[in-house]
Amino acid sequence: MNSVTRRQLLKMLGVSAAGMMSLPVIARAQTASNFVNPLLIPPLDTGTFMQEEGGVPRRRFELNLQKGTSLFVPQGETATLGINGNYLGPTLRFKRGDILDIQVNNRIGEESVLHWHGLHVPQRFDGGPMQSIADQGSWNPVFDARQPAATLWYHSHAMHKTGPQVYHGLAGMMILDDDPSAALDLPSRYGIDDIPLILQDKRFKPDGQLDYMSRYGDMMIGQHGDIMMVNGTVSPFFEARTDKIRLRILNGSNARLFNVAFNDGREFLQIASDGGLLEKPVPLKRLMVTPGERVELLVDVSDGQTVILRSEPSENHFPVFQGAFSELMRAMHGESFDILEIRPQTNLERLPPVPAVLASLPAVSADMGMRTRRMRLNMGFGSRSGSGQGPGLGNRTGQGGGYGGGHFSINGRVMTMSYINERVKLGDTEIWEVLNDTPMVHPFHIHGSQFRVLDRNGVPPPAQQTGYKDTVHLHGRETVRLLVSFTEFADDMYTYMYHCHTLEHEDRGMMGQFLVTENG
Ligand code: C2O
Ligand code: CU
Ligand code: CU
């Protein structure tokens, strides 16, 4: 898959090498001739199926975390990490009610672990940093899938190493099915009309190896790359054989925001958010997907026209002030670039019409919250302050770009393994009021539950944010209120995590842990 010519590549690298302070700009692939690689579809893994006594289906998965190499760029092979392969992992597909029995073997040469992002699982099987697996070690979580159909994912959650391990490839998708969603006649043929799209951006060193955290900007806004990939495919195209396709989009990048849209401005339907189907399809032209989030879209391609999935600049939510940090944020929100070309074939198979109603979700209101728990996201004022030149002479009021040189924290605390930040009582419904006390966007994620968004700066969320979610973005200075409950698993020792899903922020401490116990 030599997708980029040497000349194109040097151009891309030239752009990204422009200077220490510039945000890498994604090379724009504007013409169809640039989409030269068929989209790789991660292998589907439905496990080894066994029927338990009592008729409960049990699926046994074996996941080997391993080192590999991948051919992404013309310079040659890139050292990568994968799960049962060289880069990324298989899509695990299972059904509500199944027992999952997952053997995880770590062969990557350092500690790691896999977290089941979005799944409701007991704390000790959640795959947070507490379940760290030593190199050459194994771990065997067993739990049942007990929530509605959804697109979920799994990824490394090693303490302080989640960023580099996910960046090198330790991630994959999970598809959870259930009977009500199967009865809906939505496209569900994997790789044919139901397409997994793991969106990631990468940056390469001149020798073809991944370039990770080598710049000042990476420390603040997280690792950004200049080469876009989908499922590990650079410059991908997909040949559609049906008149509509379902895109299961996972933002699996470390830090990059995607504001997905089509190049011809066509409308699409959002049918699901992180935790499953929305009540009704929501017609949209753009949709923000921040790291860790998943969305499912239906796109009508019955007109037979080639169309490009892109990321458009997002609305400016950041304050404009002087200094490097403000510049980085403006660059981060201002980029537009192509992601995937979709080429409808001739004689498209016609699929049934889109159902008008997808699911029924319980109504939520703030009255349901038994208590409010406040979370304040902070970026420390560090050693660097902004004169626009990295370490500089700007003021330290936060208006001079001094963010991020220091620590990342929640409620003033940097994550440590030995400190339990919060205690929650099993069965309680709580309001988590999350305040982003920084000027930049952060995707806030909670383990062990799917929550609902009550409001954003006091205003009820738009339709696309009314479904079940486990990750929600907050723009600078925003407050969101989430209705969260933990009804299933109590544990006196093992915790769940909550954190920013910009992996470099998580790794540097914008994370906390909480216990769910019978007594709270
Ligand atoms: Cu997707 Cu705690 O992570
Ligand atoms: Cu998670
Ligand atoms: Cu963050």
Side-chain angles (χ1 to χ4, degrees):
M1 52 169 178
N2 270 341
S3 52
V4 264
T5 64
R6 182 149 198 100
R7 189 183 53 80
Q8 281 170 323
L9 187 84
L10 288 175
K11 209 172 128 206
M12 292 171 192
L13 294 174
V15 169
S16 65
M20 275 291 285
M21 285 312 301
S22 64
L23 182 82
V25 173
I26 283 201
R28 291 172 62 154
Q30 289 290 341
T31 60
S33 62
N34 281 351
F35 297 94
V36 291
N37 294 308
L39 176 71
L40 295 171
I41 303 291
L44 193 62
D45 185 349
T46 55
T48 308
F49 191 75
M50 291 173 286
Q51 202 83 11
E52 291 266 284
E53 287 160 63
V56 182
R58 187 181 187 98
R59 288 179 197 274
R60 168 102 179 159
F61 293 93
E62 185 171 320
L63 300 179
N64 295 307
L65 314 191
Q66 59 196 59
K67 292 184 186 177
T69 57
S70 305
L71 191 57
F72 296 133
V73 291
Q75 294 97 314
E77 303 271 341
T78 303
T80 49
L81 296 174
I83 300 130
N84 301 352
N86 284 309
Y87 182 73
L88 299 176
T91 296
L92 311 183
R93 191 161 198 170
F94 46 89
K95 213 179 147 187
R96 185 176 190 169
D98 290 350
I99 294 176
L100 309 187
D101 173 341
I102 311 178
Q103 173 75 21
V104 184
N105 303 316
N106 177 12
R107 311 260 160 73
I108 66 165
E110 63 176 12
E111 65 161 347
S112 191
V113 68
L114 288 182
H115 164 59
W116 324 106
H117 179 130
L119 264 187
H120 298 192
V121 306
Q123 290 82 343
R124 67 187 191 284
F125 296 139
D126 190 43
M130 276 183 141
Q131 281 88 41
S132 175
I133 313 167
D135 178 40
Q136 304 304 320
S138 296
W139 178 52
N140 183 205
V142 179
F143 50 82
D144 58 322
R146 46 168 73 203
Q147 66 200 77
T151 303
L152 308 159
W153 68 304
Y154 60 98
H155 61 78
S156 160
H157 215 303
M159 190 70 180
H160 302 307
K161 292 178 184 157
T162 299
Q165 291 188 1
V166 171
Y167 197 65
H168 283 80
L170 290 190
M173 189 177 274
M174 297 192 287
I175 299 177
L176 165 56
D177 296 311
D178 67 3
D179 290 333
S181 68
L184 279 177
D185 254 347
L186 292 167
S188 56
R189 289 173 294 175
Y190 183 77
I192 297 171
D193 55 20
D194 183 355
I195 319 300
L197 299 179
I198 303 176
L199 309 190
Q200 298 178 310
D201 57 326
K202 303 285 175 211
R203 203 167 72 213
F204 293 88
K205 294 190 266 200
D207 66 357
Q209 300 309 310
L210 286 173
D211 182 13
Y212 184 70
M213 289 289 270
S214 61
R215 297 203 189 134
Y216 173 57
D218 302 334
M219 304 288 190
M220 296 190 293
I221 65 168
Q223 171 71 32
H224 282 65
D226 48 14
I227 293 184
M228 204 37 228
M229 337 183 143
V230 185
N231 305 338
T233 324
V234 179
S235 302
F237 67 85
F238 175 75
E239 296 183 336
R241 285 182 268 161
T242 52
D243 66 347
K244 43 180 103 56
I245 52 176
R246 177 186 196 165
L247 304 179
R248 296 187 190 249
I249 296 181
L250 156 63
N251 183 339
S253 64
N254 283 40
R256 186 174 281 283
L257 320 174
F258 299 105
N259 189 24
V260 296
F262 290 95
N263 66 325
D264 59 2
R266 78 176 58 188
E267 200 169 83
F268 54 85
L269 298 174
Q270 185 187 355
I271 58 168
S273 54
D274 303 326
L277 293 168
L278 299 171
E279 292 206 286
K280 287 185 260 192
V282 179
L284 294 168
K285 289 192 165 180
R286 287 174 181 215
L287 179 58
M288 176 90 121
V289 192
T290 60
E293 285 187 290
R294 288 86 61 212
V295 295
E296 293 180 31
L297 311 182
L298 287 181
V299 191
D300 188 317
V301 295
S302 58
D303 64 2
Q305 298 299 308
T306 293
V307 62
I308 299 169
L309 178 71
R310 312 176 30 84
S311 182
E312 295 289 345
S314 49
E315 300 78 63
N316 294 351
H317 287 273
F318 45 83
V320 175
F321 50 78
Q322 276 208 318
F325 187 64
S326 179
E327 273 172 39
L328 275 168
M329 284 192 299
R330 268 175 277 156
M332 181 178 176
H333 288 257
E335 281 186 286
S336 58
F337 50 89
D338 294 346
I339 297 172
L340 170 73
E341 185 172 85
I342 298 166
R343 300 178 187 163
Q345 304 297 286
T346 47
N347 298 322
L348 294 171
E349 180 188 343
R350 286 191 54 157
L351 299 184
V354 179
V357 176
L358 301 167
S360 102
L361 307 183
V364 291
S365 77
D367 309 335
M368 296 161 74
M370 298 158 75
R371 56 164 293 174
T372 296
R373 203 176 282 276
R374 294 197 167 77
M375 303 280 168
R376 179 188 289 259
L377 311 183
N378 297 113
M379 291 167 75
F381 302 97
S383 56
R384 296 173 190 259
S385 55
S387 59
Q389 304 295 325
L393 303 171
N395 66 57
R396 292 175 190 240
T397 61
Q399 303 305 302
Y403 290 95
H407 58 261
F408 293 79
S409 61
I410 299 177
N411 289 339
R413 279 200 155 261
V414 175
M415 159 83 188
T416 55
M417 291 290 285
S418 57
Y419 186 79
I420 307 287
N421 301 72
E422 306 287 335
R423 287 162 201 275
V424 174
K425 187 165 186 286
L426 181 69
D428 277 4
T429 298
E430 302 191 346
I431 296 172
W432 285 29
E433 187 178 294
V434 188
L435 163 65
N436 177 2
D437 199 11
T438 83
M440 75 170 290
V441 66
H442 301 277
F444 184 78
H445 169 52
I446 308 176
H447 287 211
S449 179
Q450 292 287 339
F451 54 74
R452 306 282 294 280
V453 180
L454 286 170
D455 46 41
R456 185 177 282 279
N457 292 333
V459 180
Q464 64 267 32
Q465 289 170 27
T466 54
Y468 285 112
K469 289 187 62 58
D470 53 51
T471 307
V472 63
H473 69 267
L474 289 96
H475 288 290
R477 312 298 172 200
E478 273 191 333
T479 298
V480 295
R481 291 200 305 163
L482 313 173
L483 196 72
V484 194
S485 55
F486 300 91
T487 54
E488 293 160 298
F489 309 107
D491 196 308
D492 290 328
M493 189 160 106
Y494 292 102
T495 56
Y496 289 125
M497 305 288 139
Y498 54 91
H499 56 89
C500 175
H501 221 287
T502 295
L503 299 181
E504 288 67 40
H505 295 176
E506 173 192 334
D507 277 346
R508 299 178 78 214
M510 195 180 270
M511 174 155 70
Q513 45 182 339
F514 63 102
L515 280 175
V516 179
T517 61
E518 305 278 353
N519 307 315

